Amino acid sequence: MPDMPLNILLIDDDPADRNDLSGMLAAFGHNLVAVDGASAAMATFTTHVVHLVLLKSTFLFRADEGVVSILHNAAKDMGIPVVFLADSDIASLAPCLKQGGADFFVKPYNADYIYNKLDSLTRIIDEQKSFDSQRKAVKNCGERLSQHYSIRELFDQSIVHLNCLDTPSIQSFSQSKQPFNRCIMLAANKPDGGKHLLLGEFNAHRLEAALSAFPLADIFFSLTEKGFLMRQILVELNRRLSSILPVDIVFNGAFIDVKVNEESLEIWNAEAPNVYVYSQGEAEPIVCSSQNQPLGIASRWAQDYHVDLVPYKSGDQLMMFSNGVCRLQEGSGGVSYQALLNKMLSSVTPSKNKLDWLKENLNKQGLLDASHEDVSCLTMTLNTDLVLPKAYEKKIVVQEDRPADFSLDYVLNATTLKNTDPLPYILQILTTVPGLNNSSAQVFMILSELYSNALEHGVLKLSSVTKSCPDGFAKYYESRQTALDELDDGFVKIHIKVKADIQKALLVLRVEDSGDGFDFSRLTYQVDNTEMLYNRGFALVDQLCEKLEFSHDGRVVTAYYDWQRGAFS
């Protein structure tokens, strides 16, 4: 019995020859369908899996030669061998061989000869099937690669105008041997002049990672632009990803909030490599390790939320990696990323450009070329300068497009203050005002400074002096969270008035708190003077606004912002 029985289609109009050959083939253990004409053969051929066609040579010279030609070509296109059956006249086989016949059987049929020929053809067919399987795999791989390229191109096009990785203070590199790097590296400007950074990867195949990157980037950019806090963005990212991803796919990464006005970093790390903050003059960096669950886990995610609070000075550097960098290792020599990192953590590493140093040494060791890991790395030189947000290009707004005067009030009691950040929602209302929407960054900065002052120093009675001591930022925000958790009384009232016409484009923001007030006569508005308790925030607001007023012993602050810098009363 053959190792692989063949499904054979026999086409012969001589009943005796057909029966003789059918019995012989059946005795060999093959499966046979025997027909007497080309038309019947076509019907059988299209409804059965056929491995081999035995075709009487005289059909090539019949009136139905066209049907046989179709059958013959179909067999060739599908890689099915055609063996011609002929009388003892060998010369009659010449046209058959020209038609691409794989072999021929000549009467009288010899059982041993046919058995050995079929055994040889079985091996050829088996090799052909293996080749076809490989060719199909290569084709599928090519289609997947093409699909990956298309998704990568679409992803890049969708975020290229949003990503701020080309900011002069940021340096990054990313490498993948595949069209889609599983590492996601995003940077976005916050409305108050700071930045949000996100770097990580999905523990998924490339296509799944590529598709998952779209909602991740969309939420990151849209909520950052609207002024949502890092924690709020992370909560929404986790909610969305946990609702659309399979349970075994998560996002491991680090999210960093660069707070320029407060000269501090909030670092959230979930199963990503350590984040390093290099302070000038310090021998070793501050290390922020993973303390959170990855994104995409539904249960108890928010309860385990933890951030590192790190103050910085102008010129300090931030460095973060993807998990792929940590997996780099040369198999033979055992040289790994960790060995280079140990040098980078010491004074051996040049402080001016750690990213270039790391990339150069990874290349020297051959780690990048030898590895198929997706790798990404980002460094940022931190700056403490209070740079006012750039206004977007002003648009000409005709009078009939201006809104009518309006005002609104927000009153936040203790329960609401614990659970709600009103600023993104207020900003969304204000950005519907023609003309004012071009100044959303300035408006957000003014509003956030007034609200933070009212909440933290008014209602919660926190002192900024805490920030000046070692670990001060961590202690300050720990105290802030504790005070919020224990808050059972107090309020912040926000009054907003917009008045816009041909002569006037005025936004009035008045924020009142239930605190004890403060001595606003001691305020100085010098941006570079950091001695005064409330100096930096109010100094910035004073630069942005036409007028800044304090009343009710400092419990009420009113800012007047003219977004066209025109005269107002």
Side-chain angles (χ1 to χ4, degrees):
M1 296 292 289
D3 292 337
M4 186 191 79
L6 298 177
N7 296 333
I8 301 174
L9 174 59
L10 170 62
I11 310 169
D12 194 332
D13 57 353
D14 187 322
D17 289 343
R18 191 168 63 246
N19 291 335
D20 183 25
L21 195 54
S22 295
M24 188 183 301
L25 295 173
F28 295 158
H30 297 293
N31 305 313
L32 186 72
V33 177
V35 296
D36 60 0
S39 298
M42 283 299 295
T44 305
F45 189 82
T46 56
T47 56
H48 289 73
V49 176
V50 178
H51 299 138
L52 175 67
V53 174
L54 301 181
L55 176 62
K56 189 173 183 177
S57 61
T58 56
F59 275 91
L60 291 177
F61 311 102
R62 304 276 185 89
D64 56 357
E65 177 183 343
V67 178
V68 175
S69 177
I70 293 173
L71 174 63
H72 184 200
N73 290 335
K76 284 199 305 182
D77 292 342
M78 298 177 67
I80 300 174
V82 177
V83 175
F84 285 96
L85 308 174
D87 294 326
S88 57
D89 182 10
I90 301 298
S92 66
L93 293 172
C96 302
L97 297 177
K98 288 182 179 180
Q99 290 292 327
D103 211 328
F104 53 85
F105 296 160
V106 179
K107 292 189 294 185
Y109 300 127
N110 181 279
D112 290 338
Y113 176 82
I114 292 179
Y115 180 89
N116 290 327
K117 278 291 185 181
L118 291 179
D119 185 57
S120 176
L121 285 170
T122 299
R123 291 194 297 271
I124 294 174
I125 292 170
D126 189 48
E127 291 174 358
Q128 181 66 39
K129 288 175 65 177
S130 177
F131 174 77
D132 289 343
S133 177
Q134 294 176 10
R135 182 175 58 183
K136 183 178 180 180
V138 171
K139 181 181 178 182
N140 291 339
C141 181
E143 291 174 350
R144 287 196 300 271
L145 286 175
S146 177
Q147 190 177 35
H148 289 173
Y149 276 115
S150 299
I151 293 175
R152 178 78 223 192
E153 183 179 4
L154 179 61
F155 180 77
D156 289 341
Q157 289 175 353
S158 66
I159 71 167
V160 68
H161 65 291
L162 299 171
N163 226 348
C164 302
L165 292 174
D166 58 350
T167 302
S169 60
I170 294 177
Q171 286 189 307
S172 65
F173 84 86
S174 187
Q175 176 177 301
S176 175
K177 299 274 179 83
Q178 300 294 329
F180 190 90
N181 191 331
R182 286 186 302 179
C183 304
I184 309 298
M185 186 161 46
L186 306 175
N189 291 323
K190 300 193 301 179
D192 63 359
K195 277 186 171 54
H196 278 162
L197 307 173
L198 180 64
L199 194 156
E201 64 182 32
F202 289 95
N203 65 332
H205 296 297
R206 295 181 187 279
L207 183 57
E208 294 170 322
L211 296 174
S212 303
F214 282 93
L216 181 84
D218 179 58
I219 294 171
F220 175 81
F221 287 117
S222 63
L223 295 191
T224 296
E225 181 185 14
K226 293 174 182 177
F228 283 87
L229 302 176
M230 180 175 74
R231 180 182 181 123
Q232 294 173 303
I233 297 174
L234 285 168
V235 168
E236 178 59 20
L237 284 172
N238 188 70
R239 186 196 66 79
R240 182 78 65 86
L241 294 179
S242 63
S243 68
I244 64 174
L245 295 179
V247 293
D248 58 335
I249 296 180
V250 295
F251 179 80
N252 304 305
F255 194 130
I256 299 180
D257 183 359
V258 182
K259 298 184 170 185
V260 177
N261 296 339
E262 298 180 10
E263 298 182 8
S264 67
L265 305 171
E266 281 193 13
I267 300 174
W268 177 88
N269 190 334
E271 302 298 328
N274 293 338
V275 176
Y276 300 97
V277 181
Y278 293 87
S279 300
Q280 298 180 93
E282 297 294 332
E284 295 183 354
I286 298 170
V287 181
C288 301
S289 58
S290 170
Q291 300 186 64
N292 296 278
Q293 296 185 76
L295 294 174
I297 298 177
S299 62
R300 292 189 55 79
W301 184 90
Q303 291 90 326
D304 297 330
Y305 178 86
H306 177 86
V307 296
D308 288 300
L309 298 161
V310 181
Y312 69 83
K313 296 180 181 178
S314 186
D316 290 351
Q317 288 189 35
L318 163 74
M319 195 167 197
M320 56 197 303
F321 316 94
S322 67
N323 281 308
V325 177
C326 299
R327 291 192 295 263
L328 291 176
Q329 182 159 341
E330 188 180 40
S332 58
V335 179
S336 67
Y337 147 82
Q338 188 62 44
L340 293 176
L341 178 61
N342 292 337
K343 291 184 179 181
M344 195 168 60
L345 294 177
S346 68
S347 57
V348 176
T349 311
S351 59
K352 59 180 180 180
N353 198 323
K354 296 184 182 297
L355 182 69
D356 287 346
W357 184 91
L358 177 62
K359 187 177 180 181
E360 178 183 349
N361 281 273
L362 288 173
N363 279 318
K364 282 182 180 179
Q365 299 292 344
L367 295 178
L368 290 179
D369 290 337
S371 175
H372 290 275
E373 294 287 350
D374 292 347
V375 298
S376 293
C377 182
L378 179 149
T379 61
M380 179 176 180
T381 301
L382 302 166
N383 200 326
T384 59
D385 292 341
L386 282 174
V387 180
L388 300 184
K390 292 182 179 179
Y392 298 100
E393 182 181 354
K394 290 186 177 180
K395 301 177 182 178
I396 298 175
V397 182
V398 296
Q399 183 176 5
E400 55 266 28
D401 289 335
R402 289 199 181 280
D405 295 349
F406 72 89
S407 64
L408 57 93
D409 291 279
Y410 267 74
V411 179
L412 298 98
N413 58 25
T415 302
T416 309
L417 290 172
K418 287 182 178 183
N419 304 303
T420 304
D421 176 19
L423 304 190
Y425 307 104
I426 295 175
L427 188 65
Q428 289 185 59
I429 296 173
L430 294 178
T431 53
T432 63
V433 179
L436 184 56
N437 59 343
N438 298 323
S439 302
S440 59
Q442 290 90 334
V443 173
F444 185 86
M445 186 173 287
I446 297 167
L447 189 58
S448 63
E449 289 296 339
L450 298 185
Y451 178 72
S452 296
N453 173 71
L455 175 62
E456 296 176 8
H457 305 303
V459 177
L460 302 180
K461 298 179 173 58
L462 300 177
S463 172
S464 292
V465 174
T466 307
K467 298 179 183 178
S468 61
C469 64
D471 300 325
F473 273 87
K475 291 180 179 178
Y476 179 86
Y477 284 102
E478 183 179 348
S479 300
R480 182 185 188 276
Q481 188 59 50
T482 300
L484 266 180
D485 292 340
E486 297 175 352
L487 185 67
D488 55 14
D489 191 20
F491 65 82
V492 172
K493 297 179 180 179
I494 303 173
H495 173 77
I496 300 168
K497 181 175 177 59
V498 171
K499 183 175 179 60
D501 54 33
I502 287 295
Q503 291 82 25
K504 195 177 300 184
L506 177 64
L507 169 66
V508 180
L509 296 171
R510 186 175 75 241
V511 180
E512 178 184 355
D513 65 72
S514 58
D516 299 330
F518 70 101
D519 185 4
F520 53 86
S521 64
R522 298 174 55 207
L523 282 176
T524 176
Y525 296 128
Q526 297 176 5
V527 176
D528 57 353
N529 184 345
T530 60
E531 297 299 323
M532 297 304 295
L533 191 60
Y534 306 98
N535 183 73
R536 288 183 62 83
F538 284 133
L540 182 60
V541 173
D542 182 65
Q543 286 191 22
L544 289 170
C545 294
E546 293 294 319
K547 185 166 57 175
L548 189 61
E549 292 181 342
F550 297 88
S551 60
H552 296 77
D553 297 325
R555 293 190 302 274
V556 177
V557 184
T558 307
Y560 298 82
Y561 177 66
D562 181 0
W563 65 86
Q564 288 189 344
R565 291 292 183 182
F568 65 92
S569 57

